[in-house]
Amino acid sequence: MELTHGLELFPDCTVTILLFNHVKNAAALRKKAMEGSIEGALINPAMIVDPFQILVAANKAVHLHRIGKMKTRTLNAEIIFSLSPNNNISDAFKKFGISDSDTAVLIVLVVDKEKTVNLGDIVTQVEGQQVSLNELPQLTDTARVKKMYKVTPQEEKLGTLLDSIVCRMSTKDVI
Amino acid sequence: MAAASAGPDGVRSGEAADPAMDETGNANANGAAAAAAAVGEPEAEAPPLPGLQLVHQGAEARVYRGLFLGRAAVAKLRIPKRYRHPALEERLSRRRMAQEARSLLRCRRAGISAPVVYFVDYVTNSIYLEDIVGSITVQDHINSVQRSENDTSSLLTLAEKMGEVLARMHDEDLIHGDLTTSNILLRPPVEKLDLVLIDFGLSFISGLPEDKGVDLYVLEKAFLSTHPDTETLFQALLKSYAATSKKSGPVVKKLDEVRLRGRKRSMVG
């Protein structure tokens, strides 16, 4: 159901992505996330086109965390920030984090090998249905994504939307 | 050099040492030592990612291939130049990497085919890029077509396409800095002539016809010296460049001027 992938550059780290639909308690979840009482980063699936996008963000976040150069205060916040094409942190949370009216939620967990993650724990906290990540494309708001990442029409002919997104995510600190 | 060409698809048979490799991906003695020993460096370190294979070792960086977050990727690790002052070395490396990343993004935004940047690591000075699986360099392609004496008119179309792509790049005021036929890839299937520009480590932004002219001059020199009897090909490339680029007039003029100067790029010092 959920997707788990290891980070090649950080062999002791794995990333797990869970997707939930028909979520009723987005507001409560958001509050928990802000307090830090829920494990994982809560992301708006409408802005995600592919799990790879999340993996790239998680990879960058873990890297910066390891070298002590995060721009935000927590690893989870950094994952959300890494998704953004610009360097405005609050904007990143607004656009990529979840809002009270959301009905779909994506949760990303980064775990070290020693720590066992209790997925069931997280699933119970969400008042919604956990669905497979194959359903992600249905939840993506492509138009909104294109606008957010400012994808040019010439670029669309070049490759996938995911390509454009990942490129911007990884080069945003130099441009 | 033969070893380099015999490698996996898409290997750039470029300059410097042989990428002779053993299982762990460490460059072995006769090969890359030529480059490293000259600098008095310790031998190649293990690849940053398990399962990464050393594909090429140039003067600037080691290129590895492997999987990154489940995707075929190329990792370029800059080789530290120990003869430089460390502060200078750090700044230069960082600048070159930033330039490369910026140029790759600029290409994409303008609709010019270039690898997607997956991750830039300023600590180890490495950049992880999309691997164009199954690609071959234009250099290898031209060589194989010439060797098999096949329909060389297809090479004319290739040259025209190259001219087009370079014109679009220069119209974005992007100077590649190291234009050679081994820095342009052909995405499979080769007949589609889908070109991908790579290796923007020496690139910079400039609107000056001089810089664009020199960029073309570098390509011309590399082209004519690597591929014998290709004067007509390069002319076709230039013609297509002139037709595609809106600002080509002054550029071609400068190119003629630069040619007259000879091999050295004087002036800049």
Side-chain angles (χ1 to χ4, degrees):
Chain A
M1 196 67 106
E2 59 275 345
L3 189 136
T4 300
H5 204 284
L7 294 179
E8 290 90 349
L9 289 171
F10 311 101
D12 52 338
C13 250
T14 41
V15 180
T16 304
I17 308 176
L18 302 102
L19 184 59
F20 297 89
N21 206 350
H22 312 296
V23 175
K24 300 191 187 65
N25 63 337
L29 287 172
R30 192 169 82 89
K31 202 150 164 266
K32 282 194 186 178
M34 304 240 287
E35 291 165 3
S37 53
I38 190 167
E39 268 188 80
L42 271 62
I43 295 170
N44 183 354
M47 299 301 287
I48 310 297
V49 307
D50 188 286
F52 184 68
Q53 186 182 350
I54 305 268
L55 290 178
V56 171
N59 182 77
K60 189 168 178 188
V62 173
H63 167 75
L64 291 172
H65 177 71
R66 293 278 165 105
I67 60 174
K69 294 242 168 109
M70 290 198 297
K71 295 274 166 70
T72 62
R73 272 189 246 142
T74 66
L75 179 60
N76 289 330
E78 194 72 21
I79 295 176
I80 298 180
F81 177 59
S82 300
L83 286 166
S84 173
N86 61 49
N87 288 300
N88 186 326
I89 300 179
S90 38
D91 183 61
F93 284 162
K94 244 187 279 169
K95 301 277 166 57
F96 293 90
I98 58 169
S99 51
D100 295 345
S101 55
D102 283 344
T103 54
V105 169
L106 198 142
I107 301 188
V108 182
L109 290 132
V110 175
V111 232
D112 291 329
K113 219 161 233 161
E114 310 93 49
K115 272 197 274 162
T116 43
V117 64
N118 190 342
L119 288 181
D121 205 26
I122 300 181
V123 176
T124 44
Q125 288 185 64
V126 180
E127 276 173 35
Q129 191 194 3
Q130 190 188 355
V131 295
S132 150
L133 270 122
N134 298 329
E135 296 198 23
L136 179 59
Q138 300 162 29
L139 298 168
T140 312
D141 185 343
T142 318
R144 213 171 128 201
V145 171
K146 280 192 196 166
K147 196 164 163 224
M148 178 75 204
Y149 287 100
K150 299 201 180 90
V151 181
T152 65
Q154 309 98 289
E155 215 178 334
E156 289 185 53
K157 295 188 218 136
L158 215 50
T160 63
L161 181 56
L162 179 61
D163 288 338
S164 312
I165 291 173
V166 168
C167 221
R168 279 163 177 73
M169 280 169 58
S170 55
T171 57
K172 80 169 176 190
D173 18 31
V174 282
I175 199 139
Chain B
M1 270 320 159
S5 313
D9 284 345
V11 170
R12 304 173 28 201
S13 30
E15 5 83 84
D18 266 333
M21 53 186 180
D22 66 31
E23 259 166 58
T24 59
N26 291 326
N28 87 30
N30 21 317
V39 186
E41 247 182 78
E43 230 348 291
E45 309 107 51
L49 275 187
L52 272 199
Q53 240 193 343
L54 179 65
V55 150
H56 176 81
Q57 172 148 349
E60 290 277 333
R62 277 184 211 109
V63 180
Y64 296 86
R65 243 206 186 100
L67 284 181
F68 181 73
L69 303 177
R71 290 211 163 187
V74 166
K76 275 177 77 167
L77 260 83
R78 293 207 96 84
I79 300 170
K81 299 284 164 84
R82 302 270 153 86
Y83 57 78
R84 284 188 195 134
H85 188 283
L88 176 61
E89 170 60 27
E90 209 214 291
R91 209 169 285 194
L92 258 174
S93 261
R94 211 196 160 96
R95 181 179 304 178
R96 292 258 171 91
M97 279 178 54
Q99 288 286 59
E100 180 155 23
R102 221 179 274 141
S103 299
L104 286 168
L105 179 61
R106 223 178 150 102
C107 269
R108 288 223 128 233
R109 285 221 288 247
I112 298 167
S113 206
V116 177
V117 182
Y118 290 155
F119 177 53
V120 185
D121 180 355
Y122 295 100
V123 173
T124 55
N125 284 329
S126 42
I127 186 168
Y128 294 80
L129 306 162
E130 171 191 9
D131 181 8
I132 319 279
V133 184
S135 61
I136 66 168
T137 63
V138 166
Q139 180 177 88
D140 289 341
H141 176 71
I142 295 180
N143 284 338
S144 88
V145 169
Q146 282 186 327
R147 234 178 287 142
S148 63
E149 286 173 84
N150 262 349
D151 179 23
T152 46
S153 66
S154 68
L155 288 185
L156 267 178
T157 337
L158 172 64
E160 280 166 26
K161 274 251 147 159
M162 283 170 68
E164 264 178 56
V165 171
L166 293 177
R168 279 168 38 217
M169 185 185 75
H170 282 175
D171 276 355
E172 290 295 314
D173 288 348
L174 184 58
I175 311 295
H176 186 281
D178 189 14
L179 279 177
T180 67
T181 48
S182 56
N183 279 341
I184 307 178
L185 302 180
L186 276 160
R187 213 187 280 267
V190 164
E191 307 78 54
K192 277 186 82 185
L193 294 183
D194 190 355
L195 300 172
V196 184
L197 298 175
I198 62 169
D199 199 0
F200 284 82
L202 294 172
S203 63
F204 58 98
I205 309 284
S206 168
L208 294 180
E210 164 83 25
D211 293 322
K212 296 177 186 175
V214 171
D215 215 20
L216 290 175
Y217 184 62
V218 169
L219 179 61
E220 179 173 34
K221 285 276 125 189
F223 208 102
L224 298 178
S225 60
T226 327
H227 308 283
D229 305 319
T230 48
E231 287 82 359
T232 35
L233 274 189
F234 194 77
Q235 273 182 18
L237 193 158
L238 273 187
K239 199 163 155 226
S240 161
Y241 177 94
T244 318
S245 164
K246 304 152 195 138
K247 322 174 197 171
S248 63
V251 176
V252 179
K253 194 154 163 278
K254 273 292 169 181
L255 174 60
D256 291 332
E257 268 176 53
V258 172
R259 276 194 195 121
L260 291 174
R261 282 182 217 150
R263 285 181 56 212
K264 307 261 190 252
R265 289 168 56 183
S266 43
M267 289 164 208
V268 190

